[in-house]
């Protein structure tokens, strides 16, 4: 069972309420789109999903099925329960904003993921207390190079219809942005053109995919 497939228009943002235990499936409809993702505790928007804390929790730069994202209070909020994509995602890069596009030489306003986050939440009558640049960049291809220091930004390797499914570990609000980036060649194929993506809330049973516990170093 699933709810109606919802469109995230190219270059725009959408948001949804997601009850604990339910799962949202994000679909890379055209196989070329990067989608930024944020989440908040539905009862307190001051508590939000944190990439910094999540990397400590999982000890990974790129999540696997069973990995949880945690909040600024170190509590699980979303868990990856299914991933049909090549598994290439990013937790490093900041969401694009108007300042980023000025650095890239854009004059005037350019749509951006940070504003899209606000756009999606506004449709639900919500406003986050602080801007959040540290998004989970779904389908984004950022690779650590052999020197262990340098990052390589490349186009997404996703195929049409690839998806990732995220289970809510608490009642939360989730926002998505179909990234408007059309200057740096991370998406959109040869034309570098942002495309629509889609999401749906599903009732599939992912009880066989338990969340991994927090990483704790071995005691000496």
């Amino acid at each position: 069972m699933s709810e109606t497939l919802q469109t995230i228009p190219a270059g725009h943002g959408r948001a949804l309420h997601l009850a604990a235990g339910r799962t949202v499936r994000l679909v890379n409809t055209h196989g070329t789109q990067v989608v930024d993702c944020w989440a908040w505790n539905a009862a307190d928007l001051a508590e939000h999903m944190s990439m910094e804390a999540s990397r400590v929790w999982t000890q990974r730069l790129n999540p696997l099925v069973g990995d949880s994202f945690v909040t600024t209070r170190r509590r699980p909020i979303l868990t990856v329960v299914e991933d049909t994509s090549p598994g290439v995602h990013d937790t490093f890069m900041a969401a694009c904003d108007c300042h980023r596009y000025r650095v890239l030489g854009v004059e005037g306003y350019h749509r951006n993921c940070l504003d899209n986050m606000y756009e999606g939440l506004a449709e639900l009558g919500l406003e986050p207390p602080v801007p959040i640049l540290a998004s989970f960049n779904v389908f984004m291809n950022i690779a650590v190079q052999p020197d262990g220091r340098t990052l390589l930004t490349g186009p997404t390797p996703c195929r049409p219809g690839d998806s990732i499914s995220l289970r809510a570990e608490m009642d939360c609000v989730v926002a998505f942005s179909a990234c408007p980036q059309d200057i740096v060649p991370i998406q959109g194929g040869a034309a570098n053109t942002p495309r629509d993506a889609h999401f749906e809330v599903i009732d599939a049973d992912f009880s066989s995919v338990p969340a991994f516990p927090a990483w704790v170093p071995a005691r000496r």
Side-chain angles (χ1 to χ4, degrees):
M1 294 287 294
S2 67
E3 296 181 2
T4 304
L5 199 66
Q6 302 290 318
T7 301
I8 313 167
H12 288 260
R14 294 288 306 277
L16 68 150
H17 291 280
L18 191 64
R22 301 204 75 192
T23 298
V24 61
R25 176 175 289 149
L26 176 64
V27 183
N28 198 330
T29 312
H30 301 281
T32 60
Q33 183 64 38
V34 169
V35 180
D36 289 28
C37 173
W38 301 261
W40 297 260
N41 175 356
D44 181 2
L45 297 185
E47 181 180 10
H48 61 81
M49 184 167 69
S50 165
M51 292 303 100
E52 303 92 328
S54 296
R55 289 192 294 265
V56 175
W57 184 278
T58 65
Q59 291 292 288
R60 271 188 270 277
L61 307 178
N62 194 335
L64 301 177
V65 170
D67 279 343
S68 294
F69 292 98
V70 300
T71 70
T72 47
R73 297 175 189 164
R74 314 279 179 154
R75 301 197 300 159
I77 185 167
L78 293 176
T79 297
V80 181
V81 292
E82 183 182 58
D83 190 354
T84 70
S85 78
V88 176
H89 312 289
D90 170 61
T91 64
F92 267 135
M93 294 296 186
C96 58
D97 60 4
C98 59
H99 308 294
R100 172 63 173 154
Y101 285 105
R102 290 193 191 105
V103 171
L104 293 173
V106 174
E107 296 182 5
Y109 183 74
H110 192 293
R111 293 203 63 88
N112 61 83
C113 285
L114 188 63
D115 287 352
N116 286 350
M117 178 193 77
Y118 284 102
E119 175 185 61
L121 290 181
E123 291 182 353
L124 300 181
L126 300 173
E127 182 176 353
V130 295
I132 305 169
L133 284 176
S135 54
F136 172 36
N137 303 313
V138 190
F139 312 125
M140 189 172 185
N141 183 12
I142 305 295
V144 178
Q145 295 305 282
D147 65 7
R149 299 184 180 201
T150 308
L151 299 177
L152 177 67
T153 298
T156 177
C158 281
R159 303 150 300 205
D162 280 349
S163 67
I164 188 171
S165 297
L166 303 167
R167 181 180 63 211
E169 303 298 343
M170 64 173 71
D171 290 347
C172 61
V173 177
V174 179
F176 295 120
S177 168
C179 183
Q181 180 61 256
D182 55 3
I183 299 172
V184 180
I186 62 168
Q187 63 183 9
N192 211 27
T193 302
R195 305 291 298 273
D196 294 351
H198 292 83
F199 68 87
E200 58 183 339
V201 177
I202 60 177
D203 290 322
D205 181 9
F206 289 107
S207 59
S208 62
V209 186
F212 296 137
W215 172 81
V216 177
R219 294 181 180 272
R220 294 186 177 181

